[in-house]
């Protein structure tokens, strides 16, 4: 009965997110969520939002949230776009900036939603291989002048580029949009936001899901030249007038207002990450240098797939990708210190067996 | 600097939603919101949702909500799709079912987002004129076998088709998908949900925004043959894994559980609508027979645009469309009895002047 499906549906190979078990008491280190709750002031604001006014539509412009983001990052409100998580922001951006006539380039090992968006909109792409150390080599993107999307830090490696490297990408590709996907930037990489005034082809995307502990709320944003933001608004307003509900708008604003809490939680995750990495190294793991809230690890003797399964059977969920080049790696999100101690204890038992 | 825009962005003419003033104390009868708050049990559930677990992603499958909808409407869970408002559901459906090779048909006077979706995805369309009484003539859709979308009741007229008329559309167009957009169905029209088992080409969309007073939450859904629902899932999972946040999922489930409140509020709106219509008729207005939570009205002597402006200046917002055939009509959402008394008092002054 596929006669009712459009050709688009026929060609799709949808993205599969990490497992979200709804009931089991797993230690959940598989989808890069923050182990700490949102700020108490965010939760209080959200409780206040649960009221009579839910009968009304949210502000379709999300003016209050755009102003809060603009104020926080010291840009103009017209340089800010907000969406239902950075996934929706990226979905709009692919349609707004990428075409069927020029190949989009991104790393061969990267966020696996990128080729899915390309399939959705029929955008040709070229995967540029990471080097043997699983790092992005920016020179590889300077050979032709065209669109690029790169996560910084990259996922699932966690490795970051510095700002000079990002700038070299922007300079080498002035005729096409370059998206820097900064979902994990708050855990140790340099943001490219400072460059949006200088490069009219730069779009930076971020999210409230990771560093601000609001994955359950769905709020992401983009920053860039006003002309690029206008393109995103046009696509959004041709798709859904109100993708952010009243909770997402109010909660995200409250999150930006509690800077002390944000800094404290961000630094806690970084501290736990660095400690966990050192402990894993001692157990014989190869661990990549991470600027994110996860570690990408591999053991010379114990296959990653087996470790994934054994960890799961002992109540610890991590992410395993059955993909070329990385099928002997595990991506381990950073949990609380107690959760990482439990991980280290279990994994130590597995690799000493 | 439009060199960075895709051809899609260049051709877009985005949808403009009704005004959402953020501060002024208007009587707001312009966007068909429910004048009554969500059920107290919904608000309580939403307050409970504002907690520590917001750090986690929502269930990408929204299994709990799909089960609740399936149970309520007595269909299988696999016949249910959920999205961020019925606008997002429709956006996915246009991409999933409509193609560039066959014209989509819808009424010339209808929900003005339909041609916007067509522009977004480059889908050709044909507007089928309503008759002189602004009614849909189903025979007009039986001349060719192709895709159709029709709101039932229609907007902004409020006029409904009966189930036999809907069935005749489905029978006349067996080779293409027919979407019945039931955003307003709970205010007096017959739902086509009972037909989804019989017609593999039928998709019915509904929303929690109107009859369940949750416009601020963003939750809509579609029902249809499992094969059609699978197409929607494929598109959604190629766009955004989690368009419904934890609040939307929990709040919508709670709304379905409070049937008494739903019936009470729905009937209150219907009663107020009928009373308001009778009063407007007495003032010399022509009012269309409405099965929705709004009235579409016209006065033989007083131009609608002037009335819109004068009502706004007196603190009452209604919707005016500067479009052919309906530029002498106003769409008036049904508010509380007090709000409608105020409207009747002000409008009586205007048309007696």
């Amino acid at each position: 009965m596929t006669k009712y499906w459009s050709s688009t549906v026929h060609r799709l190979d949808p993205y599969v997110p990490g497992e979200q078990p709804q009931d089991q008491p797993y230690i959940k280190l598989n989808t890069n969520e923050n182990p700490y709750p949102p700020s108490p002031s965010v939760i209080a604001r959200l409780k206040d939002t649960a009221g009579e006014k839910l009968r009304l539509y949210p502000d379709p412009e999300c003016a209050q949230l755009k102003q809060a983001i603009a104020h926080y990052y010291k840009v103009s409100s017209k340089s800010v776009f907000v969406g239902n998580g950075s996934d929706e922001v990226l979905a709009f951006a692919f349609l707004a900036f990428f075409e069927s006539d020029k190949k989009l380039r991104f790393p061969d090992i990267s966020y696996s939603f990128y080729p899915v968006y390309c399939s959705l909109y029929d955008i040709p792409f070229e995967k540029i291989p990471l080097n043997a150390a699983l790092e992005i080599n920016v020179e590889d993107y300077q050979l032709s002048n065209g669109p690029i999307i790169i996560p910084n830090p990259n996922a699932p490696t966690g490795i970051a580029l510095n700002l000079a490297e990002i700038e070299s990408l922007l300079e080498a590709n002035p005729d096409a949009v370059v998206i820097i996907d900064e979902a994990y930037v708050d855990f140790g990489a340099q943001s490219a936001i400072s460059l949006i005034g200088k490069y009219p082809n730069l779009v930076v995307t971020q999210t409230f899901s990771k560093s601000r502990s609001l994955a359950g709320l769905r709020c992401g944003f983009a920053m860039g030249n006003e002309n690029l933001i206008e393109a995103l608004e046009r696509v959004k307003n041709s798709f859904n007038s109100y993708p952010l509900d009243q909770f997402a708008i109010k909660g995200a604003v409250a999150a930006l207002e509690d800077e002390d809490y944000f800094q404290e939680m961000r630094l806690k995750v970084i501290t736990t990450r660095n400690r966990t990495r050192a402990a894993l190294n001692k157990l014989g793991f190869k661990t990549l240098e991470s600027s994110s809230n996860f570690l990408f690890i591999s053991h010379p003797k114990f296959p990653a797939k087996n470790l994934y399964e054994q960890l799961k059977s002992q109540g610890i969920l991590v992410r395993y990708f059955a993909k070329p080049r990385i099928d002997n790696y595990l991506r381990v999100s950073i949990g609380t210190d107690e959760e990482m101690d439990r991980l280290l204890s279990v994994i130590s038992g597995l690799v000493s067996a």
Side-chain angles (χ1 to χ4, degrees), chain A:
Chain A
M1 295 217 310
T2 54
K3 75 171 174 179
Y4 296 123
W5 291 13
S6 68
S7 54
T8 300
V9 176
H10 280 285
R11 76 167 176 257
L12 290 176
D13 182 14
Y15 178 76
V16 180
E19 300 159 82
Q20 292 288 344
Q22 296 301 301
D23 299 314
Q24 301 101 319
Y26 282 109
I27 292 179
K28 202 168 166 303
L29 307 176
N30 70 326
T31 50
N32 298 340
E33 288 140 335
N34 199 308
Y36 303 108
S39 148
S41 63
V42 170
I43 291 176
R45 192 83 54 93
L46 291 169
K47 284 191 192 294
D48 286 347
T49 303
E52 186 273 334
K53 284 199 172 169
L54 287 169
R55 70 179 186 83
L56 299 172
Y57 283 99
D59 173 16
E61 301 296 329
C62 300
Q64 190 197 8
L65 176 55
K66 284 179 189 164
Q67 279 157 21
I69 293 170
H71 178 258
Y72 188 90
Y73 289 105
K74 301 183 175 57
V75 298
S76 87
S77 279
K78 288 194 169 177
S79 297
V80 179
F81 177 81
V82 295
N84 184 285
S86 61
D87 281 349
E88 187 186 74
V89 174
L90 291 172
F92 290 145
F94 272 61
L95 188 54
F97 305 125
F98 305 144
E99 289 273 13
S100 56
D101 63 343
K102 229 172 188 177
K103 273 189 189 167
L104 174 67
R105 290 164 297 159
F106 48 79
D108 63 335
I109 294 162
S110 190
Y111 186 30
S112 42
F113 220 130
Y114 299 158
V116 176
Y117 295 131
C118 288
S119 174
L120 185 66
Y121 302 128
D122 215 6
I123 299 162
F125 63 87
E126 183 183 356
K127 291 183 176 182
I128 310 289
L130 299 182
N131 68 18
L134 298 184
E135 298 161 337
I136 291 170
N137 184 359
V138 291
E139 284 79 28
D140 296 341
Y141 294 82
Q142 293 167 347
L143 305 175
S144 69
N145 181 344
I148 297 171
I149 182 163
I150 283 183
N152 193 42
N154 195 14
T157 64
I159 299 171
L161 295 176
N162 64 40
L163 216 50
E165 290 171 308
I166 298 287
E167 204 158 356
S168 77
L169 289 175
L170 291 160
E171 279 168 357
N173 297 278
D175 293 337
V177 168
V178 174
I179 300 180
I180 307 299
D181 174 355
E182 297 187 346
Y184 301 102
V185 74
D186 291 327
F187 298 107
Q190 291 177 286
S191 173
I193 291 172
S194 61
L195 302 178
I196 66 169
K198 190 171 172 188
Y199 295 95
N201 58 329
L202 170 62
V203 173
V204 174
T205 60
Q206 292 197 9
T207 176
F208 285 79
S209 296
K210 316 290 185 183
S211 57
R212 297 183 189 273
S213 304
L214 286 169
L217 199 63
R218 318 311 305 131
C219 183
F221 55 104
M223 280 175 286
N225 183 288
E226 292 181 13
N227 178 264
L228 301 182
I229 297 305
E230 187 190 338
L232 292 171
E233 294 288 353
R234 288 171 69 96
V235 173
K236 173 256 175 189
N237 286 320
S238 301
F239 179 87
N240 185 2
S241 302
Y242 316 93
L244 273 78
D245 65 23
Q246 291 183 14
F247 291 99
I249 295 171
K250 299 281 186 194
V253 169
L256 289 171
E257 289 170 359
D258 195 348
E259 179 68 7
D260 289 350
Y261 186 87
F262 168 68
Q263 292 297 345
E264 186 187 336
M265 294 303 135
R266 188 174 80 85
L267 294 173
K268 268 177 93 159
V269 170
I270 291 171
T271 304
T272 304
R273 176 190 72 210
N274 294 345
R275 178 178 76 79
T276 304
R277 186 182 177 208
L280 287 167
N281 286 345
K282 274 196 189 161
L283 290 172
F285 279 89
K286 174 182 164 190
T287 61
L288 304 192
E289 167 134 31
S290 173
S291 299
S292 66
N293 69 337
F294 54 83
L295 289 165
F296 205 47
I297 69 173
S298 182
H299 197 285
K301 291 192 203 151
F302 298 88
K305 187 160 190 286
N306 293 1
L307 286 174
Y308 159 76
E309 284 161 0
Q310 290 174 300
L311 286 168
K312 187 171 179 181
S313 74
Q314 295 197 48
I316 300 175
L317 272 185
V318 300
R319 190 93 194 251
Y320 171 73
F321 301 90
K323 291 189 177 177
R325 299 190 73 186
I326 57 169
D327 59 358
N328 200 28
Y329 281 84
L330 296 176
R331 192 192 68 186
V332 180
S333 307
I334 302 304
T336 62
D337 278 312
E338 295 68 30
E339 288 173 329
M340 300 322 274
D341 285 343
R342 172 72 187 150
L343 169 83
L344 289 168
S345 159
V346 171
I347 215 164
S348 163
L350 294 174
V351 300
S352 321

